[in-house]
Amino acid sequence: MIIDKVELINFRNFEAADIAFKESTLIIGVNDVGKTNLIHALRILLDKSLSDRDIEPNESDFNIKSDGTQSDDFIITICFSNIDEEAVLAVLKGYVSNEGKTIFRFTASRKNLDYKLYAGSDVEELEEINSRFYLKYINLRYVRSQRDLQKFIDIEKSNCLKYLN
């Protein structure tokens, strides 16, 4: 499973952004360009360590435009390709195209700080879903930063050794 594209509309500092991903993508940039906001958008839809309460929108998640007005809604869309794992195909049945593509979307409203989740094989055919049920079958783990990477690797090695014993 590969993330092809992330689209952010009125989310935090992103008024409208289409971010293309490759099989290996490195996110770099100067301070205050939105790296952390992009990662947070990905985590909202893909990080199983975030609870339903953790993904609830708050006022600061809505983009403030150059004229000082704040957006009423925001949208996070993640497009995937190369979906060929049997477990993922089984759980996402009906949401994966014949070409192995799927889309997850998160929409939020500032009026009542409510959100909705959607899934589908095409942007035009997204269906509302009740939960992030797909997280059980998607192996994504958020590692905070490169500073923590060695510690993360050491812990994982230790866990593997414990499992083998």
Side-chain angles (χ1 to χ4, degrees):
M1 220 171 151
I2 297 171
I3 297 174
D4 279 336
K5 179 175 95 167
V6 176
E7 181 181 304
L8 303 172
I9 299 173
N10 294 322
F11 179 69
R12 295 187 175 181
N13 66 309
F14 294 99
E15 189 169 346
D18 278 327
I19 302 144
F21 280 62
K22 303 268 186 209
E23 253 185 83
S24 295
T25 298
L26 179 63
I27 300 169
I28 59 173
V30 297
N31 290 340
D32 290 335
V33 294
K35 299 178 301 293
T36 301
N37 292 337
L38 169 61
I39 297 299
H40 186 67
L42 290 167
R43 291 185 69 203
I44 286 172
L45 281 165
L46 302 176
D47 189 347
K48 60 182 115 191
S49 72
L50 295 180
S51 70
D52 289 344
R53 184 171 169 86
D54 292 333
I55 68 169
E56 290 176 355
N58 61 58
E59 286 284 331
S60 63
D61 289 332
F62 297 85
N63 179 266
I64 298 174
K65 302 189 182 308
S66 57
D67 65 3
T69 61
Q70 191 168 20
S71 300
D72 291 325
D73 303 288
F74 74 76
I75 301 171
I76 300 167
T77 306
I78 303 176
C79 303
F80 287 92
S81 66
N82 292 0
I83 302 169
D84 55 12
E85 298 88 358
E86 290 300 321
V88 176
L89 288 169
V91 80
L92 292 178
K93 191 174 186 174
Y95 300 124
V96 179
S97 72
N98 293 335
E99 295 80 30
K101 296 183 177 196
T102 194
I103 298 168
F104 297 130
R105 177 173 279 173
F106 180 98
T107 64
S109 169
R110 189 167 61 96
K111 180 179 179 181
N112 53 10
L113 294 179
D114 194 19
Y115 69 90
K116 293 182 180 180
L117 297 163
Y118 299 87
S121 59
D122 186 273
V123 173
E124 305 301 321
E125 299 176 14
L126 292 176
E127 296 177 21
E128 187 174 351
I129 55 177
N130 295 326
S131 68
R132 298 178 304 154
F133 65 89
Y134 52 84
L135 292 180
K136 197 176 207 178
Y137 302 94
I138 296 176
N139 292 320
L140 172 91
R141 185 174 294 172
Y142 174 66
V143 179
R144 291 188 54 103
S145 72
Q146 284 189 341
R147 289 180 294 255
D148 301 328
L149 187 56
Q150 187 59 50
K151 181 179 177 183
F152 171 77
I153 291 170
D154 292 342
I155 290 169
E156 289 301 305
K157 282 182 188 176
S158 176
N159 289 339
C160 287
L161 291 173
K162 286 178 192 174
Y163 178 74
L164 292 172
N165 289 332

